[in-house]
Amino acid sequence: MDFSWSEDDVAYRREVRSFLAEHLPEGWNGYDKTDLLEYKRQAKAFCTALADRGWLTQNWPKEYGGGDASPWRAAILSEELWPIGEPRGSQYMNANWVGPAIMFAGTPEQKAYHIGRMSRGDVFWCQGFSEPDAGSDLPALRTRAVRDGDDYVINGSKIWTSHVGIADYIFLLVRTDPEAAKREGISILLFPIDTPGLQIRHIDGFVGEQAFHHLIFEDVRVPVSCRLGEENRGWPIVQRALSFERIGAAHYETARLILNDAVAKAKANGRIDDPEVQTRIGEATALIEAARLLTYKVVDLRAAGSPPTADSNLARVAQTTALQEAGMLAADIYGNASLEAGNDADIRNVLAYSVAAGATEMQLDQIASRWLELPRSK
Amino acid sequence: MELSLDQEQQQIIDAIDRIVERAGGTAHHLAVVAGGGFDTALYDELTQAGFLGLALDLSPLEATLAAERLAYLGAYLPFPATALVYPMVTGRGADGPVALAPVQDGAVFRYGAQATHILVDGGEEALLLGPVEGDVLPVDNDNAGTPLSRLAPGAIGRAKALGAGSGDRLRQWWRIAIAAEAAGTVRGALKLTARYLSDRIQFGRPLATFQTLQHRMSHIAVQGEGAYWLAMQAAARPDNPADAAIAATRAIMAARLAFRETHQMHGAMGFTREYPLHLFSMKLPALQQELGGGTAHARAATQLRWAA
């Protein structure tokens, strides 16, 4: 057991910070997503620069254009990028799970086509998972893909999809066998977002621009060669992908930044002298640092080559709890000013993270069955 | 960064498991608690096997791992104070059981009557008292376990001050000891409760199949595991004194939750002396009071981490 960073890791973090100073304006804290073309251009330029530096997909194997780097490096990169507004746009997903899923289950042709594009920073993906009647109960998804010769014809809809506005490709879950058990009739299709028949509706929300979309599929025709993995065997691939997604974003660092700003404010407005405020800051700090270590445990397991475990569910719950506590505490410290535009984003945005990437209740289910080994609910 | 146990650390854990099992496991612990709450046989065995020297012979991390494990197994002895806090504060091993006491007149603390050394939080300096007859007054308590006492008026006057910086050092290692013992106790209570809920049939099915109970159990797991890792980090990085306060803060938050929830989920069975939940749960109220309790740890975390 060793809680210190290696010299290499310390040096790497320093290099990342100087890279960011070179490639982002001072004080940058996220893209303006109202102009999608400009947002995409900037995010792509950043990802290309990151790829040129060998860091965009550094955790991938060398044979796939990666650097065989330790998962710790990807974790450090996430800690540095995520809390300031994630300059990779949705390409963080490429590195964390879309690429690894294709490496895991893709055909040689799919790997040849997609992996290089991702490792160069050329493409953005979105994930077509949730549906109007399949949210937490994701295996209940009903979007149908029916074989027609060498094609699948897709009908149905996806909802709450993020990053669609800049996406080039979609990682879509479809039902290919409506007669099979829920988890056994699901397949994965990978295809361009501008495929005819796919309509996109932006849904206005209050947890960040471009957070939600409704995708409607009307006789969308894609070749069978778009399928990832075997027909009706998509669910295990998704489960594996989600285990990476759960801790792919360093929410504890976002929480730390929120708390950092709140403490500075408390020092300035005198609220820091309030014993109750001090207690809450200490408790929020403890939640954040516990989330950090539970996440590090997952990274450590991954570094050791372990298959996904319920550690990622523990880490996810700890992360979202810490993030929300930090947001709520910050609001209390800011007081009335927290209601003003510009100050209120943290509070609204932190709410969404216990819903995204598997709601907290789903994580708790997993902890109960896989960590505590309790018998499953009826 | 390497978060798995190394071979030596795993051997320590395995050896403690064997020693406790050989001593008689849960039945033995129940007898110990019924007999006053200090497992002298286990204390002697751990002493002879060299476990009390872990902090100085290997590192404080190994002593902290051992302290957490003993708490996880439901053992009753002042191991954290003796094997971790005393050596890290004084720089030498203890030659008898150690108790940790607040300086306030009349304040209650654990294991005072059994201790050959008492470390007192004297503010700037830690104080060391080798108690003589009459220095320690027993305190009646009916909380099913930990022996409690208080210092007699004037006893502090016979204590020796340990020098500049010793007060901070004592509070740092005391908080790590609290975190380790609380984390182990919470994890032990959770394991016992998981077994109970899986075995107990009500409404025609195991209680553990009710999602409302599963989620509450999972929350305890998240808190207990977080406390465990924070305790280990604090022991491994003594140059970061905020780590100790942060670990104790999380551990006491977890302890509050586990104390209430594991009893609630056990129903009446949990309140009996024949069932072992109290081995874990009743250790928590005393732990929650040490060094000012969770509120004091949290405020210390704020002051140390945020220079506030």
Side-chain angles (χ1 to χ4, degrees):
Chain A
M1 218 180 257
D2 178 359
F3 293 85
S4 57
W5 292 105
S6 69
E7 282 181 24
D8 273 359
D9 289 338
V10 172
Y12 176 64
R13 193 185 293 275
R14 207 164 39 231
E15 287 171 34
V16 169
R17 287 180 182 173
S18 62
F19 176 90
L20 294 179
E22 192 185 328
H23 289 88
L24 294 174
E26 196 178 339
W28 186 86
N29 63 352
Y31 294 113
D32 174 0
K33 297 178 181 173
T34 50
D35 181 344
L36 285 176
L37 284 177
E38 182 58 17
Y39 161 36
K40 186 168 181 173
R41 189 192 66 74
Q42 290 178 14
K44 190 168 174 180
F46 181 86
C47 289
T48 304
L50 206 57
D52 289 346
R53 192 64 186 262
W55 292 345
L56 184 64
T57 55
Q58 60 187 332
N59 52 316
W60 292 5
K62 280 203 172 113
E63 60 178 303
Y64 293 117
D68 274 331
S70 140
W72 288 108
R73 282 203 166 205
I76 290 168
L77 190 67
S78 176
E79 286 188 349
E80 296 299 320
L81 299 186
W82 183 262
I84 62 169
E86 190 47 87
R88 288 174 292 184
S90 69
Q91 287 205 32
Y92 81 94
M93 299 196 308
N94 297 6
N96 286 352
W97 66 268
V98 180
I102 293 173
M103 287 176 228
F104 175 68
T107 62
E109 291 75 21
Q110 286 169 334
K111 292 176 188 174
Y113 186 82
H114 288 298
I115 293 295
R117 284 174 167 75
M118 276 190 260
S119 65
R120 286 193 301 272
D122 287 345
V123 287
F124 292 84
W125 284 72
C126 64
Q127 62 177 54
F129 285 9
S130 293
E131 296 183 2
D133 293 322
S136 286
D137 186 13
L138 186 57
L141 63 93
R142 293 195 303 203
T143 293
R144 283 278 281 132
V146 178
R147 278 290 282 268
D148 181 20
D150 290 336
D151 291 339
Y152 283 109
V153 178
I154 308 165
N155 281 284
S157 73
K158 295 287 172 179
I159 199 163
W160 316 132
T161 317
S162 302
H163 310 299
V164 176
I166 59 166
D168 301 295
Y169 290 91
I170 183 165
F171 188 107
L172 185 74
L173 303 189
V174 291
R175 181 156 304 284
T176 36
D177 183 354
E179 307 302 322
K182 278 200 306 189
R183 290 175 173 76
E184 289 165 16
I186 293 171
S187 301
I188 299 167
L189 299 175
L190 316 173
F191 58 90
I193 195 81
D194 59 2
T195 302
L198 201 177
Q199 299 168 42
I200 299 168
R201 184 172 76 85
H202 177 253
I203 301 174
D204 194 19
F206 53 85
V207 288
E209 289 291 328
Q210 292 295 313
F212 300 134
H213 299 80
H214 186 190
L215 309 182
I216 297 156
F217 300 81
E218 281 184 5
D219 293 330
V220 175
R221 185 173 284 272
V222 301
V224 169
S225 60
C226 288
R227 195 188 64 231
L228 180 67
E230 291 178 46
E231 188 171 82
N232 300 325
R233 296 285 177 271
W235 185 249
I237 302 170
V238 177
Q239 275 193 306
R240 192 173 179 279
L242 282 176
S243 79
F244 291 109
E245 173 69 350
R246 272 177 208 120
I247 63 142
H251 293 307
Y252 51 87
E253 268 300 300
T254 308
R256 191 187 61 77
L257 279 190
I258 291 172
L259 192 57
N260 189 57
D261 291 348
V263 170
K265 180 75 176 174
K267 286 178 176 176
N269 69 13
R271 295 215 57 200
I272 196 72
D273 297 325
D274 180 342
E276 190 187 331
V277 169
Q278 285 196 4
T279 301
R280 287 188 62 194
I281 292 171
E283 290 183 348
T285 306
L287 293 182
I288 292 166
E289 295 310 315
R292 178 192 306 280
L293 288 180
L294 289 172
T295 305
Y296 286 177
K297 181 72 169 66
V298 181
V299 178
D300 189 59
L301 286 169
R302 195 172 297 170
S306 159
T309 64
D311 288 274
S312 65
N313 305 106
L314 289 164
R316 179 75 188 182
V317 173
Q319 284 203 20
T320 52
T321 306
L323 186 56
Q324 293 183 349
E325 185 56 32
M328 303 298 165
L329 173 57
D332 286 351
I333 287 173
Y334 288 120
N336 279 338
S338 70
L339 301 174
E340 294 176 33
N343 291 338
D344 60 342
D346 286 343
I347 302 174
R348 286 183 283 113
N349 290 344
V350 298
L351 288 177
Y353 292 114
S354 55
V355 174
T360 295
E361 289 73 12
M362 304 303 292
Q363 314 294 344
L364 297 173
D365 278 353
Q366 290 292 312
I367 295 166
S369 63
R370 295 167 64 205
W371 181 271
L372 294 167
E373 298 181 346
L374 300 180
R376 286 192 179 273
S377 298
K378 300 264 164 148
Chain B
M1 213 53 85
E2 164 71 63
L3 299 188
S4 52
L5 297 175
D6 66 26
Q7 198 179 358
E8 196 164 39
Q9 290 164 344
Q10 188 61 56
Q11 285 170 350
I12 290 168
I13 299 298
D14 292 345
I16 287 176
D17 287 357
R18 276 197 306 274
I19 290 171
V20 171
E21 184 61 33
R22 207 165 51 228
T26 301
H28 171 71
H29 298 321
L30 288 171
V32 166
V33 168
F38 182 16
D39 193 339
T40 50
L42 183 58
Y43 180 89
D44 290 344
E45 188 153 359
L46 290 169
T47 304
Q48 281 161 19
F51 285 92
L52 293 174
L54 283 175
L56 299 180
D57 294 345
L58 290 174
S59 89
L61 174 58
E62 279 71 23
T64 306
L65 279 166
E68 197 276 343
R69 192 68 180 183
L70 285 162
Y72 173 74
L73 296 171
Y76 266 71
L77 71 172
F79 184 88
T82 311
L84 178 67
V85 182
Y86 184 91
M88 297 315 295
V89 173
T90 65
R92 58 181 186 274
D95 54 11
V98 175
L100 305 172
V103 76
Q104 291 81 11
D105 272 348
V108 171
F109 61 100
R110 301 187 296 159
Y111 292 112
Q114 292 77 20
T116 56
H117 308 281
I118 301 175
L119 274 170
V120 183
D121 175 17
E124 293 214 353
E125 291 189 76
L127 311 173
L128 181 59
L129 176 67
V132 296
E133 181 132 7
D135 276 349
V136 176
L137 308 173
V139 170
D140 280 344
N141 71 97
D142 191 27
N143 69 1
T146 318
L148 300 178
S149 44
R150 59 169 58 96
L151 291 176
I156 290 285
R158 283 188 287 284
K160 176 183 150 201
L162 296 181
S166 60
D168 283 341
R169 210 159 61 240
L170 170 61
R171 285 184 291 278
Q172 179 178 353
W173 289 104
W174 192 345
R175 287 197 175 105
I176 294 170
I178 290 168
E181 192 172 355
T185 306
V186 166
R187 296 191 327 121
L190 183 66
K191 185 181 178 195
L192 187 67
T193 309
R195 198 162 64 218
Y196 175 80
L197 294 178
S198 298
D199 293 344
R200 173 78 169 154
I201 308 289
Q202 290 285 278
F203 309 102
R205 56 176 167 140
L207 282 175
T209 59
F210 286 90
Q211 196 179 41
T212 184
L213 300 180
Q214 293 180 348
H215 286 191
R216 287 157 65 186
M217 290 288 284
S218 296
H219 277 298
I220 302 171
V222 172
Q223 297 208 14
E225 292 303 308
Y228 171 92
W229 286 105
L230 287 170
M232 297 313 150
Q233 176 175 258
R237 304 198 316 187
D239 293 340
N240 298 274
D243 284 356
I246 288 168
T249 300
R250 190 72 188 110
I252 294 305
M253 292 167 85
R256 285 187 202 127
L257 178 72
F259 177 67
R260 186 180 70 232
E261 287 283 68
T262 57
H263 268 287
Q264 180 64 28
M265 288 188 268
H266 268 89
M269 176 71 82
F271 303 123
T272 66
R273 292 190 197 280
E274 63 197 48
Y275 184 81
L277 180 61
H278 66 274
L279 289 178
F280 303 97
S281 61
M282 286 306 160
K283 205 182 272 181
L284 294 174
L287 265 174
Q288 286 177 55
Q289 297 306 318
E290 293 197 356
L291 266 183
T295 304
H297 304 318
R299 292 182 63 190
T302 301
Q303 287 151 11
L304 291 164
R305 169 54 62 89
W306 301 101

